[in-house]
Amino acid sequence: MTTTNRSSRGWAYLGLTLGGLVSVAANIAHSFIAPDNAPADWSPEPGKVVSAIVWPLFLFIAIEILARTPWPTGLGWNLLRWVGFPPVALVAAFVSYRHLSGLLDHYNEETLVVWLGPLAVDGLMLKATAALLANKHANRPTETVPAPAPATLAEAPSTDITASPKVRPAAETPATNPEPTSEPTPEPINLPTSGEDTRTATTVDPGPDTTDKDPTPATPVPATVTTGPPAALLPNARIVAAAHEKAHGEPITAGQLAVRLRVPTNTAADILTALNTNPPTNDKTHNGTAVGATA
């Protein structure tokens, strides 16, 4: 709070205090005015003195409640605030005004003073209360909104990219699918049965004669191995790549895709190659005609 604010609050409290004290004192003094044809030993009744103090206090309290209460929003609360409390304050202000006006008339003041003088006393309390409320709102701290961080064109490291909760990590699959090798089936051997001549020699199919061929063994030909990314990863990879490009405005890299799918980097590179080579096609039909087809 600055020095100016402290000074203004001090003057507002001073005006509130003086306005209240003068109003109470004037209302009490009015209660001691003897009516016409009063006896010599006349004195005001205690209730009249107490009621003279009540009216300025009611006016002050009604103004404070009306101004300082944080009223909720809504039609009912607005009616209670602006229809319920103003009559109370107006009645108290009117009675206090009449007492102060009667006191000034008893002192034989001018007619204009009798009419306008009470407004300065009770009006000072009202203005002092308004000044305190204005000072309170002026000193309310304002929330500062931090400036947004400048956008950078640098590619985010792959370790900062979190896995998408909608994409389930695929199970680890081997990079290659070797074909099973078949073992040679041995030729059947004809064994003798009971009743046959055991002297008959068993017939065995001899193998090919390789005595005259090159003794160097032939180099085995490896089985054909199918390489490429697992097909089960392509749908999830396509979703992740599309979401990344939509969010960052640039294609996803192999390292970022490897972190998102939890696969090796070389597998992620193969997946990106497969996605770029085979873009998605819409094979759905509408009224018997493919959506992407032309008439």
Side-chain angles (χ1 to χ4, degrees):
M1 183 184 297
T2 61
T3 306
T4 304
N5 292 336
R6 287 196 296 268
S7 177
S8 62
R9 287 179 63 86
W11 284 109
Y13 279 118
L14 179 61
L16 184 63
T17 304
L18 290 179
L21 291 178
V22 171
S23 180
V24 172
N27 278 270
I28 295 176
H30 179 269
S31 65
F32 280 88
I33 297 177
D36 297 337
N37 302 323
D41 59 348
W42 178 90
S43 62
E45 298 180 2
K48 188 175 183 179
V49 178
V50 172
S51 64
I53 301 174
V54 165
W55 299 114
L57 289 180
F58 278 7
L59 175 61
F60 173 75
I61 294 173
I63 293 174
E64 289 291 318
I65 293 176
L66 187 64
R68 294 183 180 272
T69 302
W71 295 91
T73 58
L75 179 60
W77 291 108
N78 288 330
L79 290 176
L80 179 61
R81 181 181 183 182
W82 300 113
V83 178
F85 276 93
V88 178
L90 290 176
V91 171
F94 176 76
V95 176
S96 179
Y97 173 86
R98 292 290 297 170
H99 288 174
L100 270 65
S101 179
L103 181 64
L104 293 176
D105 185 59
H106 176 72
Y107 292 155
N108 296 322
E109 295 288 346
E110 297 179 2
T111 303
L112 189 62
V113 176
V114 173
W115 288 355
L116 301 180
L119 298 178
V121 178
D122 291 336
L124 182 62
M125 287 194 304
L126 177 61
K127 292 299 182 181
T129 302
L132 290 175
L133 292 177
N135 191 278
K136 178 181 178 181
H137 285 283
N139 295 331
R140 180 175 297 175
T142 57
E143 298 181 358
T144 58
V145 179
T152 58
L153 299 178
E155 181 179 350
S158 60
T159 55
D160 296 338
I161 302 176
T162 57
S164 174
K166 296 183 179 180
V167 179
R168 295 178 297 177
E172 295 183 0
T173 56
T176 59
N177 298 321
E179 297 181 356
T181 58
S182 58
E183 297 292 336
T185 304
E187 295 293 336
I189 302 175
N190 298 326
L191 297 178
T193 58
S194 60
E196 294 183 356
D197 187 4
T198 57
R199 292 175 300 175
T200 305
T202 304
T203 303
V204 179
D205 187 12
D209 187 9
T210 58
T211 55
D212 298 334
K213 295 182 180 181
D214 188 3
T216 305
T219 303
V221 179
T224 303
V225 179
T226 303
T227 60
L233 296 179
L234 294 181
N236 290 343
R238 196 181 305 278
I239 296 174
V240 173
H244 178 88
E245 186 172 3
K246 182 178 180 181
H248 301 280
E250 56 183 5
I252 194 171
T253 62
Q256 295 171 342
L257 186 62
V259 174
R260 298 290 292 272
L261 297 182
R262 300 179 183 177
V263 296
T265 305
N266 56 350
T267 303
D270 294 339
I271 293 174
L272 284 179
T273 302
L275 293 180
N276 296 330
T277 304
N278 301 318
T281 57
N282 189 359
D283 56 355
K284 296 182 180 180
T285 60
H286 180 70
N287 294 332
T289 305
V291 174
T294 59

